[in-house]
Structure formats: structure tokens, C-alpha cells
């Protein structure tokens, strides 16, 4: 094997290249990216970068002293895969040929079509998105965030810290009920109220008013929320359309085995665009977390180069910083039948809880409880984690 093409030049693509080099691959690595930017870290986009304490140089991922010898093809989206010859077709009509292809195209933010065409309407997924949104977050502006998930909450927190008036709209009755359950999703929702952010739960946006620029969001219950800026944070969709017509199996992402290998020889997928087979159920599961993007490339690199992997997967982990509070979660809440408060004070929003199934801990949530959470995270069994 002499040439490997990685489609996707963000964090997952870079970590795949690093893993390949760490496993001894000395051949040519081509990194294809639709953005013009070299790899950067995304979590700060909704926090430090958005409020101006970080600049572009602070989120660059490549170390000055690392020599990965990568062939970058930036600003050229992939538009097709010629699977039999492991070749990737780019938007300019050129072909990148290799001995293997790793797809790491990530995901894109979902939008609300009814708000299209109005200035001041944003999503936040890329560096360019963050640059545009940062310019719009002026203290005199009123912000409405649609979607009270982690990204929406972080943007609301950042904007509130900049002095904006903020409303958050969530169609579900309880924010974060999916990843945390309704009880603790509701508890974390108090962070909005404590910071002076108005949370509207269990109601959807109905119409968007504007005169070329967004001026108000009208909810289904008739509530009118004045807005100078609107951020849509309603989830992400995997970037897999470019594979249409190829023999790659696609459901909610590119379907692979437990090691990221598709049904095609020499074609792998990793990161937010990939739905890896769950080690417990065998069903495809797509995970959109930073740790997934930096850890699973090692599995792919070992499997691609050696036909096996020695890496033991860790439980799914994610974190969020909002309103000065550090939230961490590891594991799963699927089919839990008990939640135990193990430390701290729930009312003070400083606590550690475990989610259990038949007495066994399957998930851990820590709110401003870093030390206790770290101990509990280590104790989680990797067997319950998608590999």
C-alpha cells in the first residue's frame, strides 16, 4: 500500500493521518477538504472563539514540530467515489487515486428553510460560520436560538456573556432529554433561567418575520420574540450525498463494521459521517462527539494497515461548558431503570449521578464535579460502548 486518500480535512481527517503515520505508514497521504482552512478544533467555535478570547491561530490543530508530510487538496469538495479503483472525484473534475480511501466528511448543520434568505440567520458548524456569527453578536442585538441542545446552550451562554438579550426555543418539552433523560435535562435547563435567558420549551417556531433581515420569531403559541440575530441549532446531517450512486451502504450515515470498514475493500469511514456497528447490538450507530473523532481513527488505521486492531474502545464521552458550568457525560442512558445521585447538591447544580440498568452503572453525568466524574468514567466497562 503506497497511497491513502482521506476525504475530510477536519479534526477526524487529521487524526486519521496521524494514526496512519503512528502505525508506520510511510506512503503518500492525500487529505481532501471542502473548506479552504487547514484542520482546526471545533469545540471552541461556540465558546472561546465566539466571544473573542480565541483567534484562528488558537484553534489550529497541526503542531509546528510534527512532520506528517500530507498532500492537501483544500477547497475542493469530493463529488464521487469510484469504488473499484479507490479513486475520489473532486469538484474540479480531477481524480485522486490511491490504494485505500478513508471517508471522514463529517456532518453539516440542519437548517430551517422558512428562515432562508434573511440576513442575521446563522448556523454554527464551521470556522466561517463562527466568524460570521461573531460579527453579528453585538451587545445591542437580541438573539433567538432555536434548539436547546448542547450547541444551542453554549451559543446562548456565549451571547449572554457578551451582553445580548437571549431567548432559547426548544420544541421538546424538556431540553436534553435525549442524552440525559427528562429529569436531569430539566435540571440543566435551570442554567438558562439563572443566567437571565428566557427558555421556551414544548413549542415550535411558526414563522420568521423580516424586512431582508430577521426581525422576529413567532412561535406556534403566538408568542412573538423580537430578534436581530437568529441561530438555528437543530442538529446535524451526515455529509454522505456525494456517495450517491456508489455501492457504499448508507443509512443514518455510512454503515460500517465495528472497525470502520464498509462493505467495499479498501474503503473505510470514521467520525460524524460514519454509522459503526454497535458492539452490543450490531446495529449501525452514528456518534457525533469530539472523542469519537480523535479516538476511532486509530482503530481504522490499525485495521486498514494490519487487518486487526489492539485498541480497546472507551465509553462514549462528551462535555459542554455553558454559563460557567462544566457538564460531562460518559456511557449511555439507554434502557436505564435507575438514577442515583452519588455526590453533590442537585439544587446547587453541582453533582454527580449514575445511570443504572439492573444495578449496573451504564452512564455517568457530572456537573462541576470533575474529580468524581473522572473516577467514575474510568470504571465504566468498554464492552457497552460502540467499538
Amino acid at each position: 500500500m503506497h497511497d491513502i486518500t482521506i476525504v475530510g480535512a477536519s479534526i477526524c481527517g487529521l487524526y486519521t493521518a496521524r494514526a496512519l503515520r503512528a502505525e508506520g505508514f510511510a506512503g503518500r497521504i492525500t487529505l481532501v477538504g471542502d473548506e479552504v482552512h487547514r484542520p482546526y478544533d471545533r469545540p471552541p467555535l461556540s465558546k472561546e472563539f465566539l466571544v473573542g478570547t480565541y483567534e484562528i491561530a488558537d484553534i489550529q490543530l497541526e503542531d509546528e514540530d510534527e512532520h506528517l508530510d500530507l498532500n492537501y487538496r483544500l477547497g475542493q469538495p469530493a463529488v464521487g467515489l469510484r469504488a473499484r479503483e479507490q479513486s475520489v472525484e473532486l469538484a474540479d473534475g480531477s481524480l485522486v487515486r490511491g490504494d485505500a480511501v478513508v471517508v471522514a466528511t463529517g456532518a453539516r448543520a440542519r437548517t430551517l428553510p422558512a428562515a432562508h434568505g434573511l440576513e442575521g440567520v446563522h448556523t454554527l458548524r464551521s470556522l466561517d460560520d463562527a466568524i460570521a456569527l461573531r460579527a453579528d453578536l453585538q451587545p445591542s442585538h437580541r438573539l433567538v436560538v432555536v434548539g436547546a441542545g448542547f450547541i444551542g446552550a453554549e451559543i446562548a451562554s456565549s451571547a449572554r456573556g457578551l451582553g445580548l438579550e437571549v431567548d432559547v426555543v426548544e420544541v421538546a418539552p424538556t431540553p436534553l432529554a435525549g442524552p440525559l433523560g427528562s429529569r436531569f435535562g430539566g435540571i440543566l435547563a435551570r442554567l438558562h433561567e439563572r443566567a437571565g435567558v428566557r427558555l421556551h420549551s414544548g413549542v415550535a417556531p411558526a414563522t420568521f418575520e423580516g424586512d431582508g433581515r430577521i426581525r422576529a420569531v413567532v412561535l406556534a403559541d403566538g408568542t412573538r420574540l423580537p430578534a436581530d440575530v437568529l441561530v438555528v441549532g437543530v442538529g446535524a446531517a451526515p455529509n454522505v450525498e456525494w456517495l450517491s450512486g456508489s455501492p457504499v451502504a448508507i443509512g443514518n450515515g455510512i454503515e460500517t463494521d465495528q472497525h470502520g470498514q464498509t462493505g467495499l475493500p479498501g474503503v473505510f469511514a470514521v467520525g460524524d459521517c460514519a454509522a459503526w456497528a454497535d458492539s452490543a447490538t450490531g446495529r449501525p450507530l452514528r456518534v457525533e462527539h469530539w472523542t469519537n473523532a480523535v479516538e476511532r481513527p486509530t482503530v481504522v488505521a490499525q485495521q486498514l494497515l494490519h487487518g486487526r486492531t489492539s485498541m480497546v474502545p472507551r465509553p462514549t464521552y462528551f462535555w459542554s461548558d455553558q454559563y460557567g458550568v462544566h457538564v460531562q457525560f460518559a456511557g449511555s442512558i439507554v434502557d436505564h431503570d435507575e438514577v442515583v445521585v452519588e455526590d453533590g447538591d442537585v439544587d446547587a447544580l453541582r453533582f454527580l449521578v449514575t445511570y443504572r440498568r439492573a444495578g449496573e452503572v451504564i452512564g455517568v453525568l457530572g456537573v462541576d464535579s470533575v474529580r468524581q466524574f473522572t473516577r467514575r468514567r474510568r470504571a465504566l466497562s468498554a464492552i457497552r460502548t460502540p467499538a
Side-chain angles (χ1 to χ4, degrees):
M1 190 170 294
H2 303 288
D3 292 272
I4 296 176
T5 303
I6 301 171
V7 187
S10 191
I11 184 170
C12 192
L14 177 64
Y15 271 76
T16 300
R18 284 175 171 167
L20 288 168
R21 293 300 190 213
E23 291 299 320
F25 181 70
R28 180 183 178 90
I29 299 177
T30 299
L31 210 57
V32 175
D34 59 347
E35 294 186 58
V36 298
H37 307 290
R38 291 172 81 96
Y40 56 86
D41 205 14
R42 293 183 189 273
L45 295 182
S46 58
K47 300 181 283 288
E48 296 92 344
F49 186 86
L50 202 58
V51 300
T53 56
Y54 278 15
E55 297 299 333
I56 294 176
D58 299 308
I59 61 174
Q60 295 299 313
L61 286 171
E62 294 169 288
D63 296 330
E64 292 183 1
D65 58 350
E66 71 177 339
H67 304 286
L68 296 176
D69 190 23
L70 304 180
N71 175 38
Y72 277 102
R73 297 291 300 273
L74 299 178
Q76 284 296 328
V79 297
L81 172 68
R82 299 186 183 182
R84 290 184 179 179
E85 53 192 82
Q86 281 96 31
S87 294
V88 176
E89 183 179 355
L90 305 186
D92 64 2
S94 62
L95 282 179
V96 179
R97 293 182 171 86
D99 302 306
V101 175
V102 180
V103 182
T105 46
R108 65 188 180 281
R110 298 184 187 276
T111 63
L112 295 176
H116 287 180
L118 292 173
E119 292 184 14
V121 177
H122 300 266
T123 56
L124 182 57
R125 187 76 186 184
S126 70
L127 175 55
D128 289 337
D129 291 339
I131 292 170
L133 177 58
R134 186 164 83 168
D136 244 356
L137 293 184
Q138 303 300 319
S140 60
H141 282 170
R142 297 161 298 182
L143 170 68
V144 174
V145 180
V146 177
F150 289 113
I151 188 69
E154 289 176 358
I155 293 169
S157 170
S158 295
R160 189 67 183 133
L162 291 171
L164 282 78
E165 291 294 316
V166 182
D167 287 270
V168 175
V169 178
E170 172 56 54
V171 67
T174 305
L176 301 173
L180 303 180
S182 58
R183 178 187 174 189
F184 285 94
I187 288 170
L188 285 187
R190 298 177 193 169
L191 291 171
H192 295 290
E193 179 181 358
R194 193 169 73 173
V197 171
R198 295 171 291 273
L199 176 63
H200 310 265
S201 295
V203 60
T207 59
F208 302 93
E209 297 178 357
D211 53 5
R213 184 179 181 90
I214 186 72
R215 295 303 178 194
V217 178
V218 181
L219 306 184
D221 63 4
T223 302
R224 185 178 184 275
L225 306 177
D228 303 294
V229 184
L230 169 65
V231 174
V232 179
V234 293
N239 289 320
V240 295
E241 289 79 7
W242 68 280
L243 292 167
S244 177
S246 78
V248 174
I250 296 175
N252 179 27
I254 301 166
E255 297 183 356
T256 77
D257 65 13
Q258 296 179 25
H259 306 118
Q261 185 159 11
T262 70
L264 304 177
V267 179
F268 291 74
V270 67
D272 291 2
C273 68
W276 284 29
D278 182 277
S279 58
T281 67
R283 294 192 297 267
L285 181 63
R286 193 167 64 86
V287 179
E288 294 181 5
H289 297 309
W290 187 91
T291 48
N292 174 65
V294 301
E295 292 180 353
R296 291 192 177 182
T298 298
V299 176
V300 167
Q302 292 180 346
Q303 192 69 24
L304 194 161
L305 297 176
H306 313 306
R308 63 188 183 281
T309 179
S310 61
M311 182 176 178
V312 177
R314 297 197 295 171
T316 297
Y317 167 72
F318 60 86
W319 78 93
S320 177
D321 294 299
Q322 43 189 282
Y323 306 110
V325 173
H326 189 53
V327 180
Q328 296 171 283
F329 182 85
S332 170
I333 71 167
V334 175
D335 296 330
H336 75 280
D337 52 30
E338 184 184 15
V339 182
V340 178
V341 179
E342 299 209 350
D343 188 70
D345 185 342
V346 171
D347 290 334
L349 293 174
R350 188 184 186 91
F351 58 86
L352 180 88
V353 302
T354 56
Y355 298 78
R356 302 170 181 241
R357 184 194 304 135
E360 182 181 18
V361 175
I362 61 172
V364 182
L365 169 65
V367 177
D368 272 350
S369 298
V370 175
R371 182 176 299 178
Q372 297 90 331
F373 175 86
T374 301
R375 286 200 299 265
R376 266 302 191 176
R377 181 189 177 194
R378 290 195 189 111
L380 278 178
S381 170
I383 196 171
R384 292 184 299 271
T385 305

